[in-house]
Amino acid sequence: MSLETIEFTVDGDGRSVSLPGRAHCGVVGSGDLEVLLEPKAAGSAVSVRIVTPVKGFDALWKRVVEHFVAETGLAGLSIEINDNNASPAIVALRLRQALAEARA
């Protein structure tokens, strides 16, 4: 199985909420995914790197992450997602779980 790497940046909405620490959530396994969040320089855009076996869903991935960033106001963050055929709902859930872990 070949993997596709999708990389993009998302601009914040000006609130620039920083992430207090790193977080790791989920396990790459049957139908699941792993999310890693890591703070970067404050006030900068959010950089995103996704590794997935599913091709052709770049725009959907971007919409899911853009929604997460807009909803949380996060900036200065690196998001890495290692996917194994997770649905967009699971992606959103894991992003929120990782954020909760980083804030704990």
Side-chain angles (χ1 to χ4, degrees), residues 90-104:
I90 295 298
V91 175
L93 172 69
R94 288 283 180 255
L95 285 166
R96 285 181 185 84
Q97 287 175 328
L99 178 58
E101 182 179 313
R103 289 180 169 165

Side-chain angles (χ1 to χ4, degrees), residues 53-72:
V54 183
K55 296 186 185 312
F57 287 89
D58 300 31
L60 180 58
W61 276 108
K62 191 166 186 184
R63 282 194 307 271
V64 170
V65 175
E66 284 174 339
H67 183 265
F68 172 73
V69 170
E71 181 180 69
T72 60

Side-chain angles (χ1 to χ4, degrees), residues 22-91:
R22 287 196 243 174
H24 172 253
C25 187
V27 177
V28 179
S30 177
D32 208 356
L33 69 115
E34 169 184 61
V35 172
L36 298 109
L37 303 180
E38 186 168 5
K40 295 190 322 181
S44 66
V46 175
S47 63
V48 182
R49 181 175 188 267
I50 300 163
V51 178
T52 179
V54 183
K55 296 186 185 312
F57 287 89
D58 300 31
L60 180 58
W61 276 108
K62 191 166 186 184
R63 282 194 307 271
V64 170
V65 175
E66 284 174 339
H67 183 265
F68 172 73
V69 170
E71 181 180 69
T72 60
L74 290 171
L77 173 68
S78 173
I79 299 174
E80 185 170 333
I81 298 173
N82 296 305
D83 174 45
N84 189 21
N85 302 310
S87 69
I90 295 298
V91 175

